[in-house]
Amino acid sequence: MVRDELFKLYEIVMADLRFHVEMEHKKALLVTGLIAAVAFVTLAGVQKFEPNSGMLPLLTGPVMIMIFAEIGAKITSASAKRSLEAMTIKIKLDHALGVAIRPYSSDGSLLWSDESYLPSDYTAQYAVARDKLARSSDWIKDQLYGGMNKNYQFLFNMYKLSGFILFGFILVRAFYPTLFTIAK
């Protein structure tokens, strides 16, 4: 490929990468908002109803929280995978354009000999992981549950756990109403 075509492709890939990272964040925010709304309505229902007056329909709230958390985990993983696919293309283009090699000054001496044109944390994070794997698809699988996606997976697992705890709380409150009463 001609260098100008590589630069054009680089621009397209960078726009694609930014798009997928933004979409991952937006999807996580959407699902988190849905979970918060369901949790709010469920907790309001638990406070409003008397323990013996049909609290069992409120169990749909925690179940919905757990379902939304699972959906959130899956869609953020899919977005993260797409971001990593774009990242592999970007990394290959970095090498093709020569920006992943060590830079030299005009007198031929090596500048920042421990770094390439790319920041050293970039090199440390991706190059080391890349070198131990034979294929870019292996690198994607290796990186998929790291970084921001790791945080999202933890967040959605905590939502699932809170849904499970809320489910148990509603059951206990429905069948043992005196357990949560305060003596007057």
Side-chain angles (χ1 to χ4, degrees):
M1 269 190 172
V2 179
R3 194 164 177 83
D4 291 336
E5 291 172 337
L6 286 175
F7 275 116
K8 184 64 179 162
L9 182 58
Y10 191 83
E11 289 174 11
I12 293 168
V13 168
M14 286 303 296
D16 188 46
L17 180 60
R18 278 190 296 275
F19 172 77
H20 288 292
V21 168
E22 287 175 16
M23 288 307 295
E24 182 179 6
H25 296 308
K26 288 178 181 179
K27 289 173 183 178
L29 285 172
L30 173 69
V31 174
T32 298
L34 289 171
I35 289 170
V38 170
F40 176 77
V41 169
T42 303
L43 289 172
V46 168
Q47 293 297 318
K48 180 173 171 45
F49 291 108
E50 291 298 318
N52 294 329
S53 65
M55 285 187 63
L56 292 181
L58 290 174
L59 291 175
T60 58
V63 170
M64 287 176 61
I65 289 171
M66 291 184 275
I67 290 170
F68 284 152
E70 182 64 25
I71 291 169
K74 288 187 184 310
I75 63 174
T76 54
S77 286
S79 292
K81 184 175 185 280
R82 185 59 194 104
S83 296
L84 288 168
E85 289 168 350
M87 179 67 80
T88 60
I89 297 168
K90 179 196 174 299
I91 291 168
K92 291 174 185 177
L93 288 170
D94 288 341
H95 287 282
L97 291 169
V99 296
I101 59 173
R102 293 183 181 161
Y104 291 87
S105 68
S106 59
D107 67 356
S109 63
L110 194 58
L111 296 173
W112 302 295
S113 61
D114 63 333
E115 292 184 356
S116 65
Y117 285 111
L118 304 172
S120 58
D121 60 336
Y122 171 91
T123 305
Q125 182 178 1
Y126 297 112
V128 172
R130 247 189 3 251
D131 290 343
K132 68 180 180 178
L133 301 167
R135 303 178 52 82
S136 59
S137 58
D138 296 334
W139 181 79
I140 291 169
K141 289 176 190 169
D142 185 58
Q143 296 291 308
L144 186 58
Y145 292 103
M148 197 64 193
N149 192 42
K150 179 180 177 181
N151 297 336
Y152 285 138
Q153 297 307 308
F154 177 77
L155 174 71
F156 289 121
N157 283 332
M158 290 298 102
Y159 286 147
K160 289 179 208 174
L161 179 63
S162 65
F164 183 75
I165 290 169
L166 184 57
F167 189 89
F169 175 76
I170 292 170
L171 278 178
V172 169
R173 185 162 159 89
F175 292 109
Y176 302 101
T178 58
L179 192 61
F180 293 107
T181 56
I182 299 173
K184 294 181 183 178

